[in-house]
Amino acid sequence: MLASAFLEDFRNGNYNQLLNDLYDDESLVAYQAKRYANAIEKFIRLFGDKEVSIFTAAGRSEVSGNHTDHQHGRVLAASINLDSIAIASKNDSGVIKVVSDDFNIAPIHVNELKVCKEEEGTSEALIRGVCKALASDGHTLG
């Protein structure tokens, strides 16, 4: 669906029940609808009115143990009511652009997936690593 259509639906309350189901708190519906609408508006300003997908990833808290990769998967984690949302579209440029309110993330060129020592510990390194793993598994990047 076009970003503008999603934007209109969020503004008209068409996703209010979904937002209530997702965030399990009716008092947050208006706030969440505005949050999604703002993210879509920003996407349109930066990239144009394109076909998009909308994603949410719940935050988590590790109740016991820390970092599954260090604990061989043996942690007790719980979802929390904070999340990250993303408005994304397909892109044939060979460049992945991530725009964040809180982080300045450099574009990632999908043809340049070698480890860059100077990126160690950065969002760019994480994105590049995920892309490399996906490409190694035969997935198309874009």
Side-chain angles (χ1 to χ4, degrees):
M1 182 171 5
L2 285 175
S4 59
F6 273 119
L7 180 58
E8 185 176 337
D9 282 347
F10 274 104
R11 286 180 174 160
N12 291 333
N14 296 351
Y15 293 114
N16 285 359
Q17 184 58 53
L18 177 64
L19 292 171
N20 190 46
D21 292 346
L22 185 61
Y23 294 99
D24 198 33
D25 185 342
E26 194 170 335
S27 70
L28 293 176
V29 169
Y31 165 79
Q32 293 296 350
K34 183 169 177 55
R35 182 174 168 237
Y36 280 82
N38 288 343
I40 295 166
E41 286 174 339
K42 187 169 189 174
F43 179 94
I44 293 169
R45 269 194 323 272
L46 293 171
F47 304 109
D49 191 13
K50 299 180 178 184
E51 294 280 330
V52 297
S53 296
I54 299 175
F55 300 92
T56 177
R60 71 166 193 206
S61 177
E62 291 159 343
V63 179
S64 177
N66 191 7
H67 296 285
T68 58
D69 54 336
H70 298 166
Q71 301 297 326
H72 309 287
R74 295 183 187 105
V75 299
L76 177 60
S79 176
I80 59 175
N81 67 349
L82 298 173
D83 66 340
S84 296
I85 61 173
I87 314 302
S89 69
K90 292 184 178 182
N91 156 3
D92 295 327
S93 72
V95 178
I96 296 173
K97 297 177 184 174
V98 177
V99 177
S100 169
D101 289 339
D102 298 321
F103 298 98
N104 184 21
I105 302 171
I108 303 298
H109 297 268
V110 297
N111 295 326
E112 300 170 13
L113 299 180
K114 291 182 183 175
V115 174
C116 299
K117 276 296 196 192
E118 63 275 6
E119 284 183 351
E120 191 172 315
T122 67
S123 297
E124 291 85 353
L126 179 61
I127 296 165
R128 194 178 307 280
V130 169
C131 288
K132 184 171 178 115
L134 289 168
S136 294
D137 284 346
H139 296 280
T140 302
L141 302 178

